[in-house]
Amino acid sequence: MPLSVSDTAAHIYAHGLRNQWHAVVPSDFVAPGGLRKVTALGENWLLFRKADGTLSMLADRCPHRGAPLSLGKHLGDRVACWYHGVEIDGFGTVTSVPGLPGCNLEGKTLVTSLPVREVGGAILAWFGDEEHPEPAELTLPEPLTDPEVSAFLCYAEWNVPWRYAMENLLDPMHGAFLHHDSHTMYDGDTKAKFRIRETERGYFFEKTDQRGVNFDWVELCRTGVDWVDLSIPYPPSAGPGGAFGIVGMACPVDAERTGVFFWRYRRVTDWQRDTWRFLYKALIEERHWQVLEQDRVMLEAMPADADQRENLYQHDLGVVRLRRLYQAQAAEQSEAAATV
């Protein structure tokens, strides 16, 4: 029985929105000449990289009998399926059927290939639907492209729905409680009022009575890829550069698991950049992982129906806005799929 529109919307909301870019995994997960199986938006994919660094992302399914291409052999500019040797290039085209040369499969593009880009040490892929196979315009987060900004990528996989990870970022108030004992969020009031401030690319969710003290604001940015930007004050012991920023993304692995990307960045140049990078690796990185571990433990402990049995208040405006945005988009994509 085919899915109803409402069932399809629920599936999209659980597994990730289409017709946009998603960060998939860090770039160093796929070495030159390497293959890597990944799961994203509930589907299996193959990443393979040529010796020159060129990256391709294919559905992990041989067009012959459906065997996983990720178990195959890297042949430089193509992959050979282990089961019967069928060779597929980086665009999803069958280049050779060794068991039957001249077979009518040869020359046909039979494997889905996703457009990919790499930025800031991460692989981004375009997940379109049948009506939107070509990628939309992508504006990358400024902190990842600005030469005066130095950033470190932190990646982890959490056993949580992807929306929980995004909602955690749109909830600045949790910093004053969950992360109170961290080296950066020990100060500031535990009471606050918030507002939503619209921008051309999304919205700010920010405290109205405190700035530059704790986790006081976050901006949701929708620029072809969804990402958040936020700023955390740094103590003087952390070296030059002032407050540090975080660019965050969350990729649905499936309905219950999420890949989280956090770029920690500071605007530093010359000797200050070297000092910041040294201090980060020698001292600060471990502290940041402790903060992320607090988030992971809390989110993984929440029940699967946590967002169905709530009593929300003013501090949750950013989360409510995010849910409505994503649920509406899932419904639109579901309705569009039903008409195809």
Side-chain angles (χ1 to χ4, degrees):
M1 178 181 296
L3 292 175
S4 67
V5 170
S6 60
D7 288 337
T8 304
H11 180 88
I12 293 171
Y13 186 57
H15 291 82
L17 300 175
R18 298 284 173 161
N19 302 332
Q20 65 184 61
W21 294 82
H22 288 278
V24 180
V25 290
S27 291
D28 61 12
F29 274 30
V30 192
L35 300 171
R36 178 88 181 210
K37 177 181 179 177
V38 298
T39 303
L41 278 65
E43 300 174 347
N44 293 326
W45 302 91
L46 168 67
L47 289 166
F48 84 95
R49 196 185 294 275
K50 298 180 185 178
D52 66 2
T54 303
L55 183 72
S56 295
M57 186 167 177
L58 301 174
D60 191 21
R61 184 183 179 90
C62 179
H64 172 219
R65 295 278 302 280
L69 293 173
S70 56
L71 294 179
K73 184 177 181 180
H74 197 303
L75 298 180
D77 61 350
R78 61 200 188 283
V79 176
C81 179
W82 191 18
Y83 202 14
H84 296 94
V86 176
E87 298 177 10
I88 314 295
D89 69 14
F91 300 99
T93 301
V94 178
T95 60
S96 177
V97 180
L100 187 63
C103 169
N104 64 3
L105 296 182
E106 293 182 349
K108 293 183 178 179
T109 301
L110 299 174
V111 179
T112 300
S113 173
L114 299 186
V116 293
R117 289 186 63 177
E118 296 185 75
V119 60
I123 298 167
L124 273 61
W126 168 260
F127 291 83
D129 58 21
E130 293 184 4
E131 296 296 304
H132 304 86
E134 296 301 319
E137 181 179 355
L138 172 63
T139 301
L140 297 170
E142 297 92 335
L144 305 186
T145 59
D146 189 335
E148 294 189 354
V149 170
S150 180
F152 291 91
L153 171 60
C154 166
Y155 173 78
E157 291 188 10
W158 294 346
N159 294 317
V160 300
W162 69 278
R163 62 188 186 278
Y164 284 15
M166 289 295 293
E167 290 173 3
N168 187 65
L169 288 168
L170 268 293
D171 173 22
M173 203 62 201
H174 84 270
F177 294 92
L178 183 62
H179 305 315
H180 181 267
D181 295 329
S182 76
H183 71 298
T184 57
M185 286 185 265
Y186 57 88
D187 202 4
D189 203 334
T190 55
K191 300 183 293 295
K193 291 184 178 179
F194 285 86
R195 67 178 179 183
I196 290 176
R197 179 161 54 91
E198 304 291 340
T199 69
E200 292 184 355
R201 62 186 185 180
Y203 64 89
F204 278 94
F205 186 56
E206 57 192 2
K207 296 177 182 176
T208 62
D209 45 7
Q210 180 176 291
R211 194 78 168 192
V213 179
N214 201 310
F215 179 9
D216 295 330
W217 61 270
V218 62
E219 183 186 9
L220 174 69
C221 307
R222 312 200 75 198
T223 62
V225 61
D226 282 6
W227 55 285
V228 298
D229 191 23
L230 59 96
S231 179
I232 305 293
Y234 253 13
S237 60
F244 83 97
I246 296 177
V247 166
M249 299 182 190
C251 178
V253 175
D254 53 35
E256 300 175 347
R257 190 165 177 81
T258 302
V260 292
F261 297 76
F262 299 100
W263 286 268
R264 281 74 172 264
Y265 70 86
R266 292 179 94 177
R267 185 169 294 277
V268 283
T269 57
D270 302 325
W271 67 268
Q272 291 187 339
R273 177 183 295 245
D274 295 337
T275 301
W276 143 247
R277 295 187 71 84
F278 172 78
L279 283 172
Y280 181 86
K281 299 304 292 185
L283 179 65
I284 301 169
E285 183 176 29
E286 181 179 356
R287 296 175 177 175
H288 283 177
W289 275 108
Q290 292 171 359
V291 172
L292 285 183
E293 183 65 4
Q294 292 168 350
D295 284 324
R296 183 195 66 79
V297 169
M298 179 57 66
L299 294 178
E300 289 189 352
M302 293 176 68
D305 65 347
D307 58 351
Q308 304 299 313
R309 302 172 65 181
E310 301 173 314
N311 295 279
L312 305 179
Y313 53 90
Q314 201 263 354
H315 290 182
D316 304 307
L317 287 174
V319 170
V320 171
R321 174 65 179 278
L322 184 74
R323 289 178 183 173
R324 289 175 177 171
L325 186 70
Y326 284 162
Q327 288 170 350
Q329 191 167 341
E332 290 174 3
Q333 293 180 4
S334 173
E335 291 173 1
T339 62
V340 173

